Amino acid sequence: MASPVRAAARAAFPATIPILAGFTFLGAAYGIYMTSLGFHPVFPILMSFFIFAGSIEFITANLLLMAFAPFQAFLLAVMVNARHLFYGLSMLEKYHSVGKKKLYLIFGMCDESFSINYTAKPDPTIDKGWFMFFVTLYNHMYWVGGSTLGAVLGQFITFNTDGLLFVMTALFVVIFLENWLQEKRHTSAMIGLIVSIVALMVFGANQFVIPAMVGILMILIAFRKPLERREVKPL
């Protein structure tokens, strides 16, 4: 009989296969992008391993080339990943009895790991804590592997990377569409769109991101309970 750890590892892998393809491509694009900016390959590899937040890693690549502004960088990172606050609230019960694995589950949570771990219903014989651990670990390694591949290839492949930033836009669009398709209602998504459009009109294209993120976060926090009741209410 397989050990609980091995059984959970085998059960978690099929659920992460779609993520393998996406993270390999996006991670490779990130690695190539970093090397195109002049960074040594070790930078994207280490950043992927220790940061493990695709959107903020692309942003960090540009922040490292700009004037030192730690407060703005911190605020931007918090705003971009503010959705993880809500992920954490949703996973409190699931992470309650997983022991020391909780530390890695918290660090390694991303949109894809949250989606799988929140919705997956593994066989009752599978240890749920180890299942969530391996889902998180696989996704983490897919991202690091893709970044490593891109960082290595970026040393030998020379091409025009002017349009490579589309990957970052594509990443946000994919995340938005995934959430849209998974939602029963689209209230929170519409709040995000409306607040972003208003912020764009008020602050302009170069200054609207942080005000929009702050506005979205404040509205979602203020109306969290009615929004949650609306999500669970039958259509």
Side-chain angles (χ1 to χ4, degrees):
M1 178 180 294
S3 70
V5 178
R6 290 184 178 180
R10 285 201 294 266
F13 178 68
T16 65
I17 290 177
I19 313 303
L20 170 62
F23 273 18
T24 299
F25 174 76
L26 288 173
Y30 168 67
I32 294 173
Y33 178 62
M34 284 289 289
T35 54
S36 73
L37 295 178
F39 289 98
H40 190 279
V42 75
F43 276 83
I45 296 172
L46 291 179
M47 288 171 63
S48 296
F49 187 85
F50 289 107
I51 298 178
F52 188 37
S55 51
I56 199 63
E57 286 178 43
F58 277 96
I59 294 173
T60 302
N62 289 301
L63 291 176
L64 290 174
L65 299 176
M66 299 170 63
F68 184 60
F71 178 73
Q72 288 84 346
F74 171 77
L75 185 60
L76 187 59
V78 171
M79 292 299 103
V80 170
N81 290 289
R83 63 188 184 282
H84 287 224
L85 296 173
F86 301 96
Y87 292 171
L89 293 174
S90 302
M91 298 301 285
L92 284 176
E93 184 177 351
K94 289 181 176 289
Y95 287 178
H96 178 67
S97 57
V98 298
K100 294 181 180 178
K101 294 187 286 297
K102 182 190 300 184
L103 297 176
Y104 180 69
L105 290 173
I106 294 173
F107 162 76
M109 182 185 289
C110 61
D111 299 293
E112 291 74 13
S113 296
F114 168 76
S115 298
I116 296 173
N117 288 333
Y118 188 77
T119 58
K121 296 180 179 178
D123 189 276
T125 60
I126 301 297
D127 185 296
K128 292 183 180 178
W130 281 114
F131 178 87
M132 293 189 292
F133 175 86
F134 280 107
V135 166
T136 306
L137 178 65
Y138 290 148
N139 289 341
H140 190 183
M141 292 301 102
Y142 297 157
W143 180 254
V144 175
S147 300
T148 302
L149 177 64
V152 173
L153 291 178
Q155 297 297 294
F156 304 100
I157 300 176
T158 302
F159 61 94
N160 190 342
T161 59
D162 289 345
L164 201 57
L165 270 178
F166 84 95
V167 172
M168 186 172 170
T169 303
L171 176 64
F172 284 111
V173 171
V174 169
I175 291 173
F176 179 82
L177 291 177
E178 284 184 346
N179 289 336
W180 182 278
L181 294 174
Q182 293 175 7
E183 290 175 339
K184 295 179 180 178
R185 303 175 189 275
H186 306 296
T187 308
S188 57
M190 294 305 298
I191 290 174
L193 286 174
I194 293 172
V195 173
S196 297
I197 293 173
V198 172
L200 178 63
M201 296 173 64
V202 174
F203 297 98
N206 295 325
Q207 304 290 336
F208 83 101
V209 175
I210 292 180
M213 298 297 286
V214 171
I216 294 169
L217 182 61
M218 292 180 66
I219 292 175
L220 291 179
I221 291 176
F223 296 98
R224 176 179 163 236
K225 290 186 177 180
L227 285 172
E228 288 181 343
R229 286 196 297 268
R230 181 177 172 81
E231 285 295 322
V232 300
K233 184 178 179 180
L235 290 171

